[in-house]
Amino acid sequence: MRRKITVVGAGNVGAATAQRLAERDYADVCLVDVAPGKARGRALDLDHAAPVVGYEPRVTGVESYAEIAGSDLVVVTAGSAQEPGMSGDDRLAVNADVVRQVSREVSERCPDAIVVVVTNPLPVMCHVALEATGFPRQRVIGMAGILDSARLRTLLAWELGVSAADVTGLVVGGHGEAMVAVLSSATVAGAPVRERIGAQRLDEIVARARDAGAEVLDLLEAGSASYAPSAAVAEMVDAIVLDRRRVLPCAVLCQGEYGFDNLYIGAPAKLGRNGVEEIVEVALDESEREELRRSAEAVKVQVAALDSP
Ligand code: NAD
């Protein structure tokens, strides 16, 4: 029997994710959205492309959660993107309600699924999903680090005039403005980038990576980034579905790792068929450790805001 992957939210990120997963052809894809017709329209469009691209036309679009039963993996993109003029707190409350509702449906209808949370603000939404599903930490994972790291690597590659494939650059901590670029271990073909790019220019590059989501949003005026986020989700799903044991930066619940207790934070994690199989602790220099501590404080404040009535 084919695997089943559900993508909740058929907006920019959800639709792009469904496309990437359908094209991999290793699972049936179920797309869910509360907006009438939206998921069905996207799914129909994706099925029509199947004979041309070369995958099975087995994408379904639904408005009802009954259809997600039996999913092996659920990607949660439902919620609102940051609209111009919307405060962070407003978005936090709106998206927490959505993720809570989705998570309850997931825990009832596919109690063995692995959940990949995409809805912002990450990693706070991971806390919501963990609590509302009641799943173990191995099965509730957030996507942000691969995306932030890819943005950093792209900018470093442009600066150095080399292929992005030859640039490494890990990002830990929070997402976007709260991300921590681990420049102490960033390399180009094995050589430290700090030996090739001056400190001031590196600061500018990290700042641009940090603001990359807003830069895209400003250019588009409506909508938000979707190609890079969906590519990052697909890399996580590949690692889980194909049991690849990739070590990828994800939002994971630390229970002692990096000195944090019961806190979701971005860190490299080994992903395989069981979800998070290990949280890998990498060496950080003193300023990176301090940045990570500050990033974790910001997550704690948001989690506390969520818990207060
Ligand atoms: P979007 O507005 O295009 O799509 C969101 C969709 O969710 C809409 O179609 C809406 O109808 C649907 N929805 C709302 N409530 C729902 C519910 N209860 N059940 C099912 N569907 C529901 O937004 P987008 O650009 O696709 O972004 C989605 C989320 O992903 C946002 O929170 C955004 O900030 C976040 N995001 C995260 C990252 C990351 O790195 N983690 C990257 C990009 C976007």
Side-chain angles (χ1 to χ4, degrees):
M1 205 167 88
R2 295 242 294 184
R3 297 175 192 93
K4 179 171 174 181
I5 300 178
T6 284
V7 179
V8 186
N12 294 302
V13 179
T17 299
Q19 179 184 356
R20 292 194 190 277
L21 298 179
E23 289 179 355
R24 277 155 161 82
D25 207 18
Y26 51 42
D28 292 353
V29 177
C30 175
L31 194 53
V32 190
D33 201 296
V34 287
K38 193 167 182 176
R40 271 183 290 149
R42 293 288 200 185
L44 197 58
D45 196 10
L46 282 168
D47 283 334
H48 291 159
V52 183
V53 181
Y55 57 85
E56 291 304 316
R58 294 177 62 140
V59 183
T60 47
V62 295
E63 281 115 46
S64 143
Y65 282 96
E67 306 293 329
I68 74 172
S71 299
D72 302 290
L73 197 147
V74 179
V75 180
V76 182
T77 75
S80 167
Q82 184 87 51
E83 309 275 340
M86 190 183 202
S87 82
D89 285 349
D90 291 347
R91 186 178 58 154
L92 180 69
V94 169
N95 286 355
D97 283 346
V98 170
V99 172
R100 200 171 288 119
Q101 183 213 341
V102 171
S103 301
R104 285 182 185 142
E105 298 284 354
V106 171
S107 93
E108 191 187 319
R109 299 176 193 279
C110 26
D112 298 321
I114 292 174
V115 179
V116 174
V117 180
V118 181
T119 305
N120 275 322
L122 260 210
V124 188
M125 291 304 124
C126 297
H127 278 275
V128 174
L130 184 86
E131 194 185 315
T133 54
F135 288 0
R137 67 171 178 157
Q138 290 81 359
R139 292 201 279 124
V140 180
I141 320 161
M143 187 291 288
I146 299 175
L147 173 64
D148 289 330
S149 159
R151 286 168 167 166
L152 177 67
R153 289 170 60 203
T154 297
L155 295 170
L156 290 170
W158 283 342
E159 182 69 15
L160 293 160
V162 301
S163 164
D166 297 320
V167 176
T168 68
L170 173 67
V171 165
V172 296
H175 174 41
E177 50 191 56
M179 73 175 222
V180 180
V182 186
L183 291 177
S184 58
S185 60
T187 62
V188 49
V193 294
R194 278 180 168 160
E195 289 177 5
R196 308 285 175 102
I197 306 173
Q200 192 184 336
R201 184 68 190 130
L202 274 174
D203 284 349
E204 289 165 8
I205 289 170
V206 171
R208 189 172 176 198
R210 205 169 259 149
D211 294 338
E215 187 179 353
V216 173
L217 181 65
D218 282 350
L219 290 165
L220 294 178
E221 289 179 7
S224 63
S226 58
Y227 300 125
S230 59
V233 174
E235 190 171 50
M236 291 173 70
V237 175
D238 284 350
I240 295 165
V241 163
L242 304 175
D243 194 23
R244 282 197 167 149
R245 297 165 195 193
R246 296 281 316 274
V247 179
L248 299 167
C250 308
V252 284
L253 187 78
C254 289
Q255 289 178 327
E257 296 90 354
Y258 289 90
F260 301 121
D261 204 18
N262 281 320
L263 192 72
Y264 268 94
I265 204 80
K270 184 168 93 178
L271 296 188
R273 63 200 294 201
N274 302 311
V276 175
E277 299 188 348
E278 185 187 345
I279 296 174
V280 177
E281 297 200 50
V282 292
L284 304 173
D285 70 19
E286 207 173 302
S287 73
E288 290 161 354
R289 267 202 306 277
E290 174 54 23
E291 267 190 81
L292 181 60
R293 200 193 54 72
R294 270 189 271 127
S295 187
E297 281 308 315
V299 177
K300 280 185 202 163
V301 168
Q302 283 188 313
V303 174
L306 207 60
D307 289 342
S308 58

